[in-house]
Amino acid sequence: MAYVDAEIASQPDCWRRAAELAAGVRADLPRCGERVAVVGCGTSWFMAMAYAALREQAGQGETDAFQASEFPAGRRYDRLVAITRSGTTTEVVDLLRALRGHVPTTVLVGDPETPAVRLADATVTLSFADERSVVQTRFATTALALLRAHLGENVETLAADAEVAVRAPLPIEPTRIEQVTFLGRGWTVGLAQEAALKCREAATFWAEAYPAMDYRHGPISIAAPGRLVWAFGTLPEGLVENVTATGAAFVHSRTHGCRTVLGSWAAGRTPVDPMADLILAQRFAVALATSRGLDPDAPRHLTRSVVLT
Ligand code: F1P
């Protein structure tokens, strides 16, 4: 069994631990009304995107997400939150160094003995969710679970959903698909980006991601029989019909159980929360890798952290 399989399966417990931790680290996390920037790279950036949208939706204050290298130096923020599993990613470390003494910073990190922790004003350590895998799964979702708990969400409900997602049959047989496009709206745009990244990283598979409303503005040209569209969260009206007309398969588990054109996934309980749905996409990516004869623990051209010299 690959490390990543065990890490994916441990997400329900990690989310519960994150919720317990959230209460004790409240002072280090964004307060209601603060103007906040959230940064990261790769997976961590996509979690930043999801959190930023959720925080604004919860009425907690203006929140922007940036890839760490694209942080707009001229803007004023009350706090910067950096998400980094490794704590060594160059763009994140450079930004924390540049903001030192100017903007209060908090880092959510997997490994506390790292440069990001030494540079940040406050640290939330999630070492219980750190991973052996290069391909991130549980650290990312656990960081987001902690931030969602801090927003007042009921993480126990999410964890119960995650229990379903780690066991449920996959919505579609990976060998039947030659391409996948993930879609989301609001906070699930970040999840869609993350799901596509998992397919690229773990399985070197052609995967794209878009805001669902933008899909009909060009990306739908890619849809065809043997290809898949997988949507997270709220579905735009008419999208299912538009995708189905192309002959592409369609997966969506949120509303009305599940729809899948090629499979028969609707039997049994399916995850409700999109973060649990992301677990299915993580498992799909690993299954894709295996079906292509690849080791998901040894992704091509990737290292656990990108440290630039
Ligand atoms: C960020 C990251 C990962 C990616 C790859 C390289 O790492 O970009 O998202 O999968 O492993 O590093 P981190 O800053 O969260 O440690």
Side-chain angles (χ1 to χ4, degrees):
M1 189 160 105
Y3 297 133
V4 72
D5 286 312
E7 288 158 1
I8 288 172
S10 69
Q11 286 173 104
D13 289 339
C14 286
W15 297 3
R16 290 188 177 103
R17 286 188 70 173
E20 282 165 23
L21 179 63
V25 295
R26 208 169 283 151
D28 296 327
L29 293 172
R31 292 176 202 159
C32 188
E34 279 184 342
R35 188 154 187 267
V36 172
V38 197
V39 301
C41 294
T43 293
S44 296
W45 173 34
F46 300 141
M47 296 303 108
M49 283 170 65
Y51 169 59
L54 280 171
R55 184 169 182 269
E56 284 209 357
Q57 195 180 300
Q60 297 254 326
E62 230 171 79
T63 316
D64 296 321
F66 302 103
Q67 208 279 0
S69 66
E70 304 306 316
F71 179 78
R75 288 203 204 160
R76 192 194 59 79
Y77 288 99
D78 298 318
R79 184 184 300 261
L80 178 120
V81 176
I83 303 173
T84 172
R85 176 181 69 175
S86 64
T88 55
T89 297
T90 298
E91 296 95 317
V92 174
V93 169
D94 286 352
L95 182 60
L96 289 170
R97 188 177 293 113
L99 296 184
R100 223 172 168 196
H102 303 290
V103 181
T105 56
T106 299
V107 65
L108 269 61
V109 76
D111 182 350
E113 304 296 326
T114 48
V117 173
R118 288 190 280 277
L119 289 165
D121 297 311
T123 301
V124 176
T125 304
L126 298 164
S127 37
F128 59 87
D130 201 355
E131 294 158 301
R132 289 187 73 166
S133 302
V134 170
V135 174
Q136 286 200 35
T137 55
R138 75 175 180 197
F139 175 78
T141 62
T142 300
L144 187 54
L146 178 121
L147 292 166
R148 291 181 73 179
H150 181 63
L151 290 176
E153 293 196 48
N154 183 344
V155 171
E156 182 46 45
T157 312
L158 307 183
D161 240 22
E163 302 276 11
V164 175
V166 296
R167 285 189 196 87
L170 287 177
I172 201 146
E173 172 54 45
T175 52
R176 300 178 70 169
I177 296 299
E178 64 166 13
Q179 185 273 342
V180 58
T181 299
F182 292 96
L183 304 176
R185 292 203 71 182
W187 74 282
T188 65
V189 173
L191 302 190
Q193 292 286 358
E194 170 60 2
L197 183 67
K198 289 311 86 165
C199 294
R200 293 192 289 266
E201 287 183 330
T204 61
F205 192 73
W206 178 18
E208 304 185 0
Y210 303 95
M213 288 301 285
D214 209 53
Y215 182 66
R216 290 174 280 210
H217 294 271
I220 194 168
S221 303
I222 296 300
R227 296 179 181 176
L228 169 66
V229 176
W230 182 324
F232 293 94
T234 314
L235 275 181
E237 201 170 333
L239 188 75
V240 179
E241 292 74 16
N242 298 146
V243 171
T244 308
T246 69
F250 188 84
V251 165
H252 180 253
S253 71
R254 178 97 187 282
T255 49
H256 319 299
C258 158
R259 288 187 77 127
T260 171
V261 175
L262 294 185
S264 55
W265 190 46
R269 194 180 153 207
T270 54
V272 177
D273 188 87
M275 201 164 82
D277 208 5
L278 176 61
I279 293 180
L280 282 172
Q282 294 168 342
R283 289 179 50 218
F284 175 74
V286 171
L288 269 172
T290 311
S291 72
R292 290 156 72 86
L294 299 169
D295 176 0
D297 284 337
R300 192 167 66 164
H301 312 317
L302 278 179
T303 45
R304 176 176 150 86
S305 149
V306 176
V307 180
L308 305 171
T309 49

